[in-house]
């Protein structure tokens, strides 16, 4: 899915919501939600949901979050200043045994690694998102496979 226009993406999102079983809490979160990068946020949401894993979508820590088998894996962070989108990649809310190497490969350097099993992807504009969309899809899939 590419970003063609915010209007087209918003329509696509509304149409897909009716087709998929979506979290009422997340639907409520996005109802009336305003953000300069809303189309991109909705694109990220769809990329995560389309990754091919049985995810549970919920609002946690004040933003949409995605869990696999009951363990949080990817969480949005949408700062109040609304100048960027952060995707937090993690292995749940509870501290895990440290791992020796970074959990996934990041050949594009898209992730800021906090620990070997926690990373943040930050996006500030549509152009950077478009340029890295395919890489982001791979990061999402790899994270969900390995975290």
């Amino acid at each position: 899915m590419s970003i063609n226009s915010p209007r087209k993406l918003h329509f696509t999102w509304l149409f897909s919501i009716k087709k998929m079983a979506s979290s009422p809490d997340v639907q409520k979160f996005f109802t009336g939600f305003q953000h300069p990068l809303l189309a991109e946020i909705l694109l990220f949401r769809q990329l995560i949901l389309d990754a091919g894993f049985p995810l549970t979508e919920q609002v946690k820590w004040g933003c949409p979050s995605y869990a696999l088998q009951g363990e949080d894996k990817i969480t949005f962070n949408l700062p109040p200043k609304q100048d960027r989108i952060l995707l937090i990649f993690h292995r749940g809310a509870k501290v895990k045994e440290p791992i020796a190497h970074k959990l996934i490969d990041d050949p594009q350097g898209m992730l800021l690694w906090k620990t070997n099993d926690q990373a943040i992807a930050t996006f500030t504009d549509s152009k950077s998102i478009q340029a890295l969309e395919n890489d982001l899809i791979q990061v999402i899939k790899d994270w969900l496979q390995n975290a």
Side-chain angles (χ1 to χ4, degrees), residues 86-140:
L86 287 83
L87 287 176
I88 313 300
F89 294 86
H90 53 100
R91 293 195 305 157
K94 295 181 181 174
V95 176
K96 306 271 190 280
E97 177 105 10
I99 59 175
H101 305 291
K102 291 180 181 170
L103 194 61
I104 64 169
D105 290 331
D106 178 25
Q108 297 297 327
M110 179 185 324
L111 301 174
L112 171 64
W113 292 88
K114 295 299 192 178
T115 63
N116 285 337
D117 65 354
Q118 183 184 21
I120 300 170
T122 303
F123 300 92
T124 57
D125 58 61
S126 295
K127 287 182 182 181
S128 65
I129 293 166
Q130 288 175 2
L132 293 170
E133 184 178 337
N134 290 330
D135 297 311
L136 179 60
I137 290 168
Q138 193 59 53
V139 165
I140 290 168

Side-chain angles (χ1 to χ4, degrees), residues 1-2 43-44 47-48 50-51 53 89 110 132-144:
M1 177 187 297
S2 293
L43 171 66
F44 288 158
L47 293 176
I48 293 166
D50 289 347
F53 293 83
F89 294 86
M110 179 185 324
L132 293 170
E133 184 178 337
N134 290 330
D135 297 311
L136 179 60
I137 290 168
Q138 193 59 53
V139 165
I140 290 168
K141 289 179 178 183
D142 289 352
W143 193 269
L144 293 171

